[in-house]
Amino acid sequence: MRSSYCGLVNETFDGQIVTLMGWAHRRRDHGGVIFIDLRDREGVVQVVCDPDRPEMFKTAEGVRGEFCLKVVGKVRQRMAGTENANLASGRVEVLCHDLEVLNPSVTPPFQLDDDNLSETVRLTHRVLDLRRPQMQKNLMLRYRVAMEVRKFLDANGFVDIETPMLTKSTPEGARDYLVPSRVHDGQFFALPQSPQLFKQLLMVAGFDRYYQITKCFRDEDLRADRQPEFTQIDIETSFLTEEEIRAMFEGMIRSVFRNAMGVELPVYPVMPYSEAMFKYGSDKPDLRVKLEFTELTDVMKDVDFKVFSGPATTPGGRVVALRVPGGAEISRGEIDAYTEFVKIYGAKGLAWIKVNDVAKGRDGLQSPIVKNLHDAAIGEILARTGACNGDLLFFGADKSKVVNDAIGALRLKVGHSEFGKKNGLFEDKWAPLWVVDFPMFEYDEGEDRWNACHHPFTSPKDGHEQLMATDPGACVAKAYDMVLNGWELGGGSIRIHRADVQSKVFEALKISEEDQRIKFGFLLDALQYGAPPHGGLAFGLDRLITLMTKAESIRDVIAFPKTQRAQCLLTGAPSNVDEKQLRELHIRLRNAQPAAS
């Protein structure tokens, strides 16, 4: 029916008769000549309706926003001075010969070019929201990225294999979405948190190189950019080392950025987890921010200031400084705001020192805490931080996790602020990174047990197998994360391919032999049949596209997302179901609410 997309009409079409179809993005009546900006997924073209074609012109007079139109007309150059350099079609226009309203539209609830819409309005009217040019660009980029991933993996011998959506509930770190079985009374399927176990089974089955772009589900407390269902680029391969896997998939992401966006990513540094936490308090540091921690725990053990000496002398405590070059210009009100900010992360407060004159030592410092620090400590603080006149030093002192979380978040907030950008503390660039050598386990004080940092199928470093029983906290995993601009883009590991090693991990996690058989018996059995060494990783497609588009929210790159409360405002899900459906599933609701009318 149509001869071209609207947004693809350009100078090469000059003089041609085209048939276009799309939506009336904007209509302007200029006293006898009507202009219609016709929009489709590829962009906008200007249509000119002259009154010398009376029937067509009468139709144009009745056109309103979001009418679905068919236009037949001749492409011509725009008059000099009226070109629009922001449009691919901006040097031409279409002189309308015939105009047909394929379907009129009621008045939309909002203007598509309104950039100040609330997310509630956008998600309630998601179909119209998806017509907006930015949303169309986002989803078209998502499509191109998925195609580039498929092309790369296909060229490297990977096979796309589907894994089940209805599976067994296994502990993988988050709460499962459960699906009741109608056939098996009282039993449940689970929606997969990831295809982790199945992709390992495919390696045992000999498929060697597997991938899948698939939905995953996690019923967890939602945060700003969490979704109960998300899309994962899931990859597994046999007979490659950790370094070979990282090299291959660094190449994949480079290829995706190059071919989908025309961007060449810089060199990927490789940083151990211990270094990332020491310098930045984060296992996904944003290297665009040029601020680092200074370790002061040993310096503060004998100071009179209990806020510092307490954590410094307590096992698991930490004291650090964050030097902000030029930060002395930050006002007391802004410092107070930063103090309230770090409290979100468990910090009790935020100590600080303004450096007015380094040469004067104590007398050149401005802070309520200086009087509580002896001269040796002050000298060491200034020396280690490299403080200069006009700097501001922030301090964190508490349990290591609180310090890392609070001062790590403060580092980002200061770096991304207008002050940080103005003073060169932030560099607007692509900053990729590999973080490697993660701990195998982390200790849960509340439950008095060790938990797997990644998942229980991650292999320990060679020679660390015995540590799982004697010193789990010292055991390092063959695990790796790809980080980009402070976001974990993807993560993975070398997997355990021997049943005896897998059993040792389960023992360290206090999973009994009976529970091992109940929950993972099928995996343990499979590992006995000559399972190959294997590993892989998974990339969050939603996160990747959010980064590439610089969208404000992950919901801006998903066609039909859920809200932060895991609701779909478009369809009204989740919703009540009728009693007959519940009876068929052998379910009775406790404290049931009456069905909505």
Side-chain angles (χ1 to χ4, degrees), residues 273-285 291-293 318 320 400-409 411:
Y273 168 89
S274 57
E275 181 182 344
M277 299 305 293
F278 183 79
K279 288 184 175 180
Y280 308 109
S282 171
D283 60 2
K284 47 181 184 296
L291 299 173
E292 294 184 8
F293 289 9
R318 188 178 190 193
V320 303
S400 290
K401 185 179 188 316
V402 172
V403 170
N404 292 337
D405 290 350
I407 305 303
R411 171 182 173 268

Side-chain angles (χ1 to χ4, degrees), residues 340-506:
E340 293 304 310
F341 172 73
V342 297
K343 289 180 181 178
I344 297 171
Y345 299 89
K348 300 177 182 67
L350 182 63
W352 54 271
I353 294 176
K354 285 190 176 183
V355 182
N356 297 324
D357 191 341
V358 173
K360 293 182 179 179
R362 175 188 301 275
D363 294 334
L365 306 179
Q366 176 186 345
S367 169
I369 70 168
V370 170
K371 63 179 180 292
N372 299 312
L373 304 175
H374 53 65
D375 289 342
I378 288 174
E380 195 64 19
I381 290 169
L382 296 176
R384 289 195 186 185
T385 59
C388 299
N389 295 344
D391 289 350
L392 174 63
L393 305 178
F394 285 120
F395 296 87
D398 209 309
K399 294 180 180 178
S400 290
K401 185 179 188 316
V402 172
V403 170
N404 292 337
D405 290 350
I407 305 303
L410 178 65
R411 171 182 173 268
L412 296 180
K413 192 166 184 66
V414 172
H416 284 269
S417 69
E418 287 304 314
F419 167 85
K421 294 174 181 177
K422 180 185 71 174
N423 287 274
L425 306 182
F426 176 85
E427 186 176 359
D428 190 7
K429 62 178 183 178
W430 294 106
L433 171 72
W434 281 109
V435 178
V436 301
D437 296 347
F438 281 80
M440 187 87 175
F441 305 102
E442 57 186 354
Y443 188 68
D444 186 328
E445 293 182 355
E447 297 190 6
D448 187 27
R449 58 175 293 170
W450 291 95
N451 293 324
C453 280
H454 272 57
H455 53 62
F457 319 109
T458 299
S459 176
K461 285 282 188 184
D462 296 339
H464 285 223
E465 292 88 350
Q466 299 308 316
L467 291 173
M468 290 188 286
T470 61
D471 189 3
C475 189
V476 176
K478 293 181 179 178
Y480 37 84
D481 281 358
M482 182 186 287
V483 176
L484 183 63
N485 291 5
W487 287 42
E488 179 194 330
L489 203 57
S493 65
I494 300 298
R495 321 302 186 190
I496 296 168
H497 68 282
R498 287 168 40 199
D500 59 330
V501 177
Q502 186 66 74
S503 291
K504 287 180 180 178
V505 173
F506 288 149

Side-chain angles (χ1 to χ4, degrees), residues 28 84 113 157 167 269 273 303 325 337 358 364 368 375 412 430 438 443 452 481 514 517 521 539 543 557 576 587:
R28 309 182 302 281
N84 186 342
D113 55 1
T167 185
Y273 168 89
V303 300
V358 173
D375 289 342
L412 296 180
W430 294 106
F438 281 80
Y443 188 68
D481 281 358
E514 181 181 1
R517 295 305 311 171
F539 292 96
R543 288 186 181 183
V557 301
N576 295 323
I587 289 176

Side-chain angles (χ1 to χ4, degrees), residues 307-326:
V307 171
F308 286 176
S309 61
T313 55
T314 302
R318 188 178 190 193
V319 183
V320 303
L322 184 73
R323 174 190 165 223
V324 181

Side-chain angles (χ1 to χ4, degrees), residues 108-179:
F110 55 83
Q111 295 294 319
L112 268 63
D113 55 1
D114 184 351
D115 294 328
N116 297 310
L117 296 172
S118 74
E119 189 172 64
T120 298
V121 170
R122 291 180 53 206
L123 294 183
T124 301
H125 303 280
R126 188 60 163 182
V127 174
L128 290 178
D129 185 46
L130 288 173
R131 286 187 184 178
R132 298 193 305 128
Q134 187 57 55
M135 291 300 299
Q136 299 253 318
K137 289 177 183 177
N138 288 356
L139 293 187
M140 291 298 288
L141 178 63
R142 185 183 177 114
Y143 160 74
R144 291 198 302 274
V145 166
M147 288 301 297
E148 290 300 329
V149 166
R150 291 185 185 280
K151 285 191 285 187
F152 180 92
L153 294 172
D154 183 67
N156 282 276
F158 285 80
V159 180
D160 185 351
I161 303 176
E162 294 180 351
T163 54
M165 284 295 165
L166 295 175
T167 185
K168 184 182 180 69
S169 178
T170 55
E172 291 190 40
R175 188 181 295 110
D176 286 327
Y177 273 102
L178 298 178
V179 181

